[in-house]
Amino acid sequence: MVFMGDRATLLETGRFAQRRVHRTDSVMNAAFGAAAAENSETTETTETTEIIGTTETSETAETVGCAATVESTESAEATGNTGSIEAAESTETPGGPETPESPESAESEARHRRAADAGDTTSMSVLGALLLRRGDLEGAEPYLRAATADGDRAAANNLGVLLHQRGYTDDAAGWWRIAAVAGSAAAAHALGRHYRERGDEPGAEYWLRQSAEQGHALGAYALADLLEHRSDVGAERWLRAAAEQGHREAAYRLARMLDRNAADDPHDAFGRPGLGPAPGPVAGATGRPGATGRTAVRSNDGPVAGPAAGRVGEAEQWYRQAAARGHRRAALHLGAILEQRGELKEAGRWYLISAKAGEARAACALGFLLRDAGDEESAAVWWLRAAQDGDGNAANALGALHAARGEQQTAERWYRAAMDAGDVNGAYNLGLLCAAQDRTPQAEQWYRRAAYAGHREAANALAVLLLQAGDATGAEPWFSKAAEAGSVDAAFNLGILYAGRDEDRTALVWYERAAAAGHTEAALQVGMALLHHGEEREAERHLRCAAGGGSAEAAFRLGGVLDSRQPPPGPPALGEPMPEKTECEEWYERAAEQGHRRAQVRVGMLAAARGDVDSAARWYREAAESGSRNGAFNLGLLLAREGSEREAALWWTRAANDGHGRAALRLALLAARRGELTEGQRWCARAVELGPAEVAERAARLLEALHQELTA
């Protein structure tokens, strides 16, 4: 069964809390281990700060540059206001990439200090920036103020940074304005951020745009964030501008924007479903109330997708760029894209990088990938790690794993953990668990909780429970809610409900709705209804869908439709090759191989008509041994023709005892030929009783003849 539109699997493990080395005989694990070794530096990178450098030329014609801006890259999602959480401090240093720790930097600092003390403006600006970056605010301030007084805009910007760090935000904004008016892109960015924090969006947009148009990556990113917050289409342009300059959060958010536009999905969610055990009495793949269901583990809200393949391809490029720079969520989404494309080794590598960097959803996804590769124990380790970080999907997976092992109490504990993490599947899975233990009141309670939270399959399961308890009136609205929310099984169950009330027209509407969504049994019901109304061509289309989906009954009925359009084959003439199987026989055979007894008999008949006695006997025998009286009767005919009359009598006896009139007549004739007149009379009487009419008539005449023979 499909849950919340996805496939779904249950798994769990508290016992795998201890990490272990992956087995070397696991190809997937070896790949993941190699990836970890190759990317150890990346995986250890925290996602809290990023230093972006910009350069600027001072008015004294000496090179000044390297504005270092600290920003938080993992603090918000694509729809969040990351601009409000980034630090606005930008430190411009005229000294380039030198660091105070190196001998060269120490020598450079001493040289600048001598020049600054001698009154050189550029050196005062450089020395102030070096001290500010080192955290020596007291030492930096006099040099920055002196350089600012001489008109150095980098110093004015950095003086604003210093004052901002001390908490004098208004004073800092004043110096940033002076620097921004003088052409400092970094100061314009800082001033724009200041205005946004104050709630002055027009002022923020003006200064951020000034910064962005000068090519400042952080200014472009902050402007894009502001525009996206207002749903302005111009956001993409500036995200792209920042991303092209190497801003990893911009690259990630640009990829998310392209992804959402392609998939037409405004949510930033991730997940992959899995298939799991079926503990509960939920309307399942067959759609029948009480049929086995599956347990929901993960919701199908993955980041990949959409009809616009070009846009998705471009999104992948930006995810890759951000992931390569250590962005853990970008690595997660990149892994999802690769997994969907079937590149599992590469997907596992990115999941591992993301998971090691602390992304719980990546750890959960990695667990499913390992589970699919056959390494359930390693999967449980990653699920445990993700569940402990609050991932509801992973908690559900752990619950399912324990449920499959019969560890019901542990499974229940993990399902509750999933529910506490906000995953409604936890309540649904608890319902399934209780239903499997015949704890119906508790199952109903959990189904209701999940159904009220909008879980459509829980609503369907609740309706099934009510229907089984005889409350059809209470079941109907829940079936309707689930069906309207997109549950295919619920739509099919509504068809069953209305068909049981002889409301065939309404039932057909729901069957058609479920069939359109790919429900095999619903397609069969629609096909049968159309056959009943004489719409053979349209019926054939639905029967093909159902038969292709694995329905033996649909394959049999499709074979019947095709069979009715062709003349019955005659035995091949002497010397002619045996005719090939027709399409209808192929469909009959497909149904027969699935154990459909009527199809087995029909395949046997077609094989016999072609002269293939061995195949006919095999199919008749399979049908007879499965309880088909027609199969037993036909097998008896075949054996009698081959001279095995004694074995034929055994199969006719079985058929006659199951109510086959012709078999009873055959036994009567056989007894009469042997002179067993009393036995013949008994079988004649049985044939008269069973019919059909022509058989009853012949049996009556034979009975009269036997009576006369006995009384003569």
Side-chain angles (χ1 to χ4, degrees), residues 558-605:
L558 177 58
V561 169
L562 299 173
D563 202 0
S564 65
R565 297 177 187 166
Q566 59 188 24
L574 188 62
E576 288 186 2
M578 189 175 295
E580 295 181 0
K581 293 178 183 178
T582 60
E583 185 187 4
C584 76
E585 187 171 357
E586 290 174 355
W587 284 111
Y588 281 139
E589 200 163 287
R590 179 180 294 193
E593 288 168 351
Q594 293 177 251
H596 195 289
R597 294 185 304 187
R598 294 169 65 192
Q600 290 169 341
V601 173
R602 187 61 186 150
V603 171
M605 293 172 65

Side-chain angles (χ1 to χ4, degrees), residues 22-80:
H22 291 161
R23 295 193 305 271
T24 55
D25 59 352
S26 170
V27 176
M28 290 291 289
N29 292 350
F32 298 156
E38 294 168 3
N39 296 276
S40 57
E41 292 185 5
T42 305
T43 58
E44 295 301 318
T45 301
T46 61
E47 307 228 358
T48 55
T49 62
E50 181 178 13
I51 305 298
I52 302 288
T54 63
T55 58
E56 162 181 25
T57 305
S58 83
E59 294 182 6
T60 60
E62 185 173 337
T63 302
V64 293
C66 193
T69 302
V70 180
E71 65 162 340
S72 172
T73 59
E74 288 291 343
S75 53
E77 267 296 351
T79 57

Side-chain angles (χ1 to χ4, degrees), residues 288-302:
R288 293 185 296 275
T292 299
R294 296 194 184 107
T295 308
V297 174
R298 310 189 64 180
S299 55
N300 188 20
D301 54 0

Side-chain angles (χ1 to χ4, degrees), residues 473-548:
T473 304
E476 183 179 348
W478 286 112
F479 276 139
S480 296
K481 286 178 184 294
E484 293 295 346
S487 171
V488 180
D489 285 326
F492 179 69
N493 287 342
L494 269 178
I496 292 176
L497 195 66
Y498 284 114
R501 298 174 181 171
D502 294 327
E503 299 179 35
D504 293 340
R505 188 177 298 277
T506 307
L508 184 59
V509 169
W510 287 106
Y511 284 146
E512 287 176 337
R513 182 165 174 172
H519 196 289
T520 298
E521 293 298 319
L524 170 62
Q525 294 298 324
V526 173
M528 291 169 62
L530 292 170
L531 277 179
H532 179 72
H533 291 97
E535 301 177 38
E536 189 176 283
R537 292 291 178 184
E538 190 65 14
E540 180 185 342
R541 182 174 68 85
H542 283 90
L543 290 174
R544 284 187 183 277
C545 290

Side-chain angles (χ1 to χ4, degrees), residues 312-355:
V312 173
E314 186 183 3
E316 179 184 347
Q317 295 173 10
W318 291 113
Y319 280 137
R320 193 176 292 276
Q321 182 181 116
R325 291 174 60 84
H327 196 294
R328 64 175 183 250
R329 289 182 184 168
L332 166 70
H333 287 272
L334 178 58
I337 291 172
L338 293 166
E339 182 184 359
Q340 187 182 67
R341 206 158 61 212
E343 299 177 24
L344 301 185
K345 180 178 177 180
E346 184 72 2
R349 186 171 77 87
W350 286 110
Y351 282 151
L352 182 63
I353 289 171
S354 181

Side-chain angles (χ1 to χ4, degrees), residues 573-661:
L574 188 62
E576 288 186 2
M578 189 175 295
E580 295 181 0
K581 293 178 183 178
T582 60
E583 185 187 4
C584 76
E585 187 171 357
E586 290 174 355
W587 284 111
Y588 281 139
E589 200 163 287
R590 179 180 294 193
E593 288 168 351
Q594 293 177 251
H596 195 289
R597 294 185 304 187
R598 294 169 65 192
Q600 290 169 341
V601 173
R602 187 61 186 150
V603 171
M605 293 172 65
L606 291 173
R610 287 200 318 271
D612 188 353
V613 177
D614 291 339
S615 292
R618 178 172 69 86
W619 286 114
Y620 286 151
R621 191 176 297 276
E622 284 200 26
E625 289 174 349
S626 298
S628 168
R629 61 189 185 185
N630 285 332
F633 174 71
N634 289 353
L635 179 58
L637 289 178
L638 208 61
L639 291 168
R641 291 195 195 105
E642 296 295 314
S644 303
E645 202 169 72
R646 183 179 297 278
E647 188 180 356
L650 294 175
W651 288 109
W652 283 334
T653 301
R654 180 184 289 193
N657 288 335
D658 287 341
H660 198 289

